[in-house]
Amino acid sequence: MLKIILALTHKKMKQIVLVCFLAFALSSCKKQGSVQTLYLAHTLPQTHPVHKGILEFKKALNEKSNGKMDVRIFPDGQLGSEREVLELLQIGSVAVTKVSAATLSNFVPEYHVLGVPYLFRDKQHQFEVLEGEVGKSILEKGSKFWLRGLCYYDAGSRSFYTANKAIRTPEDLKGLKIRVMNNQMAINMVNALGGSPTPMAYGELYTAIQQGVVDGAENNPPSFVSSNHHEISKYFTIDEHSSVPDVLLIGTKFWDKLSNQERQWVQEAADESAKAQKIFWQESVEESMEIAKKFGVEIIIPEKSLFQDKSKSVLEDFLKDFPEMTDIVTKINKQ
């Protein structure tokens, strides 16, 4: 136990030292007339398709600015969790980050909408919305919370996977304990479908499935494989109940210091990286599905409308709690 405490303390101290360094660097780089460096922190491993998209952002920004702007990346949660890094953006210690819209909804309420089950008809509809008027409006809403959205990254769609019982219809979820994020909408969705939602830390999930503490979970294919959950799960049901994107953000404390030209370079680089990241994501999905099949996982393609119909109450309850979001949902449905 002492070793664990010391290890956690060491990690936290390392984060504090890094943050102090970044705070100094951000405040001094323009005074020195040096290259304008954006410090970017995120929680994903360097093999992840989102990290590859971020590398494209770095490359594009450097090229557009002719070397006047650069990005220094801190992956793997080096500077803390998504919530912690968002707080660093707000105070100006870090310039850019990538977080899930689900995490961001705790700071900017409008992002809650993007977690509604079956909000989007398909992938094309999702990105038509996100890259159109509605999506851009939500990105801008974060500015009043010092979190300016630059673009959306594809984070896939979440589907159910289980250890011992196949899910082919919502009725198959009855009595099953399904791990979900500690998020009210995710909890409501599993309840609506007849399952028993069980929030728990993601790091505990492998053992929980292995020991039967939970019967399964829900996530996208790359996460299903990268977490090694395909080793202990026999079934993966592609019901795609939610498609919550990732968001690339810049802190307004940094953004406000940039010239109009620098802002243009940053935004154009972000948009180009989003296009490349979609390709990386699709490649990762296809590769992950092939790996899962080799491990004997049965890939099930259910009738999605059955799941969609049973989860309609989640949207109804959401709009009761957030009536101001009705206009956004209406615009999405009309698009």
Side-chain angles (χ1 to χ4, degrees):
M1 179 61 74
L2 179 60
K3 288 183 178 179
I4 294 174
I5 294 172
L6 290 173
L8 291 173
T9 303
H10 175 73
K11 181 179 180 181
K12 198 66 181 177
M13 286 300 298
K14 185 178 179 181
Q15 289 174 355
I16 292 171
V17 170
L18 279 169
V19 169
C20 291
F21 164 72
L22 296 179
F24 170 77
L26 282 170
S27 64
S28 62
C29 81
K30 274 199 169 183
K31 293 178 183 179
Q32 296 172 347
S34 58
V35 174
Q36 181 73 292
T37 301
L38 284 72
Y39 291 89
L40 189 159
H42 68 82
T43 61
L44 298 171
Q46 297 178 57
T47 55
H48 198 282
V50 168
H51 180 78
K52 293 178 182 178
I54 288 171
L55 291 177
E56 290 295 316
F57 172 63
K58 171 183 171 71
K59 178 183 176 183
L61 183 58
N62 190 269
E63 290 177 350
K64 289 179 181 297
S65 67
N66 197 25
K68 295 177 182 178
M69 299 188 78
D70 194 19
V71 180
R72 183 171 176 185
I73 305 169
F74 294 83
D76 298 306
Q78 292 180 38
L79 299 186
S81 66
E82 287 194 335
R83 184 180 184 90
E84 289 170 332
V85 176
L86 283 172
E87 291 169 351
L88 293 178
L89 252 71
Q90 289 180 314
I91 63 176
S93 295
V94 173
V96 184
T97 191
K98 185 292 309 172
V99 300
S100 168
T103 303
L104 195 51
S105 67
N106 295 313
F107 293 75
V108 186
E110 285 77 7
Y111 283 99
H112 277 297
V113 172
L114 303 182
V116 172
Y118 298 105
L119 178 68
F120 305 111
R121 293 187 292 273
D122 51 34
K123 183 71 69 179
Q124 180 179 346
H125 179 226
Q126 179 188 12
F127 279 96
E128 285 177 355
V129 170
L130 295 180
E131 293 167 3
E133 176 190 345
V134 171
K136 290 178 180 178
S137 173
I138 294 174
L139 289 177
E140 292 170 2
K141 294 290 185 183
S143 294
K144 61 185 175 183
F145 302 99
W146 307 286
L147 300 167
R148 180 185 178 86
L150 292 171
C151 66
Y152 297 96
Y153 283 161
D154 192 352
S157 298
R158 301 178 77 91
S159 294
F160 293 111
Y161 55 90
T162 47
N164 297 305
K165 180 182 177 181
I167 297 173
R168 304 183 192 278
T169 69
E171 286 67 32
D172 294 325
L173 276 159
K174 187 175 182 180
L176 294 186
K177 290 174 288 185
I178 302 295
R179 180 269 175 185
V180 294
M181 296 181 291
N182 191 14
N183 173 283
Q184 193 58 50
M185 197 172 300
I187 292 170
N188 292 347
M189 179 202 63
V190 173
N191 272 326
L193 292 174
S196 178
T198 309
M200 69 167 55
Y202 193 62
E204 299 172 3
L205 183 52
Y206 186 100
T207 302
I209 295 174
Q210 194 175 43
Q211 296 180 351
V213 176
V214 294
D215 299 295
E218 43 94 48
N219 216 322
N220 56 63
S223 296
F224 175 59
V225 171
S226 64
S227 61
N228 296 319
H229 294 169
H230 64 294
E231 298 175 351
I232 52 175
S233 302
K234 295 179 183 178
Y235 307 100
F236 196 107
T237 302
I238 312 296
D239 66 294
E240 299 180 321
H241 47 260
S242 65
S243 301
V244 181
D246 281 339
V247 186
L248 189 68
L249 299 152
I250 187 167
T252 57
K253 288 187 180 294
F254 190 88
W255 178 263
D256 291 344
K257 295 177 183 178
L258 300 179
S259 67
N260 289 335
Q261 179 64 80
E262 289 170 333
R263 291 178 183 178
Q264 182 179 340
W265 287 333
V266 169
Q267 186 61 62
E268 289 179 353
D271 291 340
E272 289 184 14
S273 73
K275 292 179 182 178
Q277 190 272 335
K278 289 178 194 173
I279 297 172
F280 296 141
W281 183 268
Q282 185 56 37
E283 291 173 346
S284 180
V285 168
E286 293 170 2
E287 180 183 356
S288 298
M289 288 290 88
E290 288 304 313
I291 292 173
K293 289 176 184 177
K294 289 179 181 177
F295 273 76
V297 176
E298 181 182 348
I299 308 300
I300 299 166
I301 309 297
E303 178 55 58
K304 289 185 187 179
S305 62
L306 300 176
F307 293 82
Q308 187 173 7
D309 290 343
K310 287 211 70 173
S311 61
K312 284 181 178 178
S313 61
V314 180
L315 174 59
E316 294 169 359
D317 291 341
F318 170 71
L319 293 180
K320 287 177 184 177
D321 293 335
F322 298 93
E324 67 276 16
M325 304 293 179
T326 301
D327 184 55
I328 298 176
V329 173
T330 299
K331 287 180 179 179
I332 291 173
N333 289 335
K334 286 182 178 179
Q335 189 163 336

